[in-house]
Amino acid sequence: MAQSPFTFVSNGLLPHEIRSFRVLNQEIIECFRCPRLVAHREEVARVRRRAFREQQYWGRPVPGFGDLTARLLIVGLAPAAHGANRTGRMFTGDRSGEFLYRALWETGFANKPESISSGDGLLLVDAYVTAAARCAPPDNKLSRDEILNCRTFLSRELALLRNVTIVLALGGIALDAYLSVLQDGGLIRSRAQFRFAHGGLYRTHEGGPLVLACYHPSQQNTSTKRLTREMLHEVFVRARQLLAESEGPVKSTRRAAVAGGTSQDPVG
């Protein structure tokens, strides 16, 4: 069986809860539901970009990453062909990750400002990163069926991440993927009333997490200044403020994990 090489923070979880995450992540890693995506991720891993020719690509679906007791859930689009499809960790090894993890570090959700490889010691605390799809798509474009095939994984993650009070959607597709899970579960009737807008804040249903929207930190968005480092930083500052308003100070165990990197468990 394929084994993912990275770890997650699991402070305070019971053994059966950790096992549930391991089972889910292993199912993600072993998924072959979408023939087009399978062919692309494996071809990219076989040919490789010249700059990474000597590296062994991950070339498989990428599971979520972060703190299993997180209150902040970040939903992206899909792994990048030479980013997460190479390194095996969400938003790792590409320009998007450079933007994202620096903002997480600046606002206290990460212990390091960089995400280079799955073995670099990066830990997220009070935050968990996932995506609407788990395989790198050709031309960064997913079909409706491919997003639908991955929806069950996002739904199961949401069920396991029981402390989430804020969902940060990076882009319109990520927002729609999350809303679709809510709609499938009968928690909302329609997605139409929640139109994507950068900085938008949505209350989707009684007792559910607040939803915060942000442009995706794709290279296209950042190179054109549609999304700047300052804009992304401000979004995470707002997320931190919303967490403080909803539940008070962050637990000391989370702060200790950032400082010392304790209570780590293998994801596979």
Side-chain angles (χ1 to χ4, degrees):
M1 290 170 58
Q3 295 292 315
S4 183
F6 54 82
T7 59
F8 53 68
V9 175
S10 58
N11 292 295
L13 287 189
L14 297 174
H16 76 273
E17 294 175 312
I18 296 174
R19 282 196 300 272
S20 295
F21 273 101
R22 288 176 175 162
V23 168
L24 172 57
N25 286 344
Q26 198 63 44
E27 289 183 25
I28 292 171
I29 290 168
E30 296 176 349
C31 182
F32 287 85
R33 295 178 186 175
C34 304
R36 186 181 78 107
L37 299 186
V38 172
H40 181 67
R41 79 193 190 204
E42 293 181 352
E43 178 67 8
V44 169
R46 184 185 68 81
V47 176
R48 308 175 195 175
R49 179 174 285 174
R50 178 175 296 180
F52 310 121
R53 188 66 53 83
E54 301 305 315
Q55 297 184 20
Q56 184 68 42
Y57 273 51
W58 174 249
R60 285 167 277 182
V62 181
F65 166 66
D67 185 347
L68 305 187
T69 63
R71 295 179 297 164
L72 174 64
L73 174 63
I74 302 162
V75 184
L77 173 57
H82 302 282
N85 187 59
R86 172 173 60 89
T87 63
R89 191 173 70 193
M90 288 287 181
F91 284 99
T92 297
D94 59 21
R95 292 292 302 277
S96 296
E98 290 178 15
F99 266 71
L100 179 64
Y101 287 112
R102 176 163 290 278
L104 285 165
W105 174 72
E106 290 171 345
T107 49
F109 291 107
N111 68 332
K112 299 175 65 173
E114 298 177 330
S115 182
I116 300 170
S117 69
S118 60
D120 60 11
L122 174 69
L123 291 176
L124 298 186
V125 176
D126 214 11
Y128 191 88
V129 181
T130 188
R134 311 311 171 103
C135 293
D139 301 319
N140 292 321
K141 294 180 180 179
L142 294 159
S143 72
R144 184 179 182 87
D145 286 343
E146 288 163 350
I147 295 174
L148 182 60
N149 282 343
C150 255
R151 189 180 300 168
T152 180
F153 294 140
L154 180 58
S155 179
R156 289 169 63 188
E157 279 178 329
L158 287 165
L160 291 171
L161 293 164
R162 298 173 183 169
N163 295 332
V164 171
T165 58
I166 296 177
V167 174
L168 173 57
L170 298 177
I173 294 176
L175 177 61
D176 189 71
Y178 173 69
L179 294 174
S180 294
V181 171
L182 299 186
Q183 191 173 30
D184 289 348
L187 295 172
I188 60 173
R189 292 185 177 181
S190 170
R191 306 189 304 275
Q193 60 184 309
F194 307 107
R195 296 178 64 86
F196 177 85
H198 177 78
L201 184 65
Y202 315 92
R203 297 182 184 274
T204 56
H205 61 286
E206 186 67 29
L210 290 172
V211 181
L212 187 59
C214 175
Y215 289 135
H216 190 285
S218 65
Q219 188 166 352
Q220 180 180 1
N221 282 344
T222 57
S223 63
T224 60
K225 305 299 183 183
R226 187 179 194 187
L227 179 68
T228 64
R229 292 188 185 275
E230 292 75 20
M231 290 168 64
L232 188 58
H233 177 85
E234 289 172 4
V235 168
F236 280 102
V237 167
R238 190 177 188 193
R240 177 63 77 190
Q241 292 171 341
L242 290 169
L243 288 175
E245 292 170 3
S246 64
E247 293 189 17
V250 177
K251 292 181 180 179
S252 60
T253 53
R254 293 189 175 110
R255 287 177 176 160
V258 170
T262 58
S263 298
Q264 299 178 48
D265 287 285
V267 79

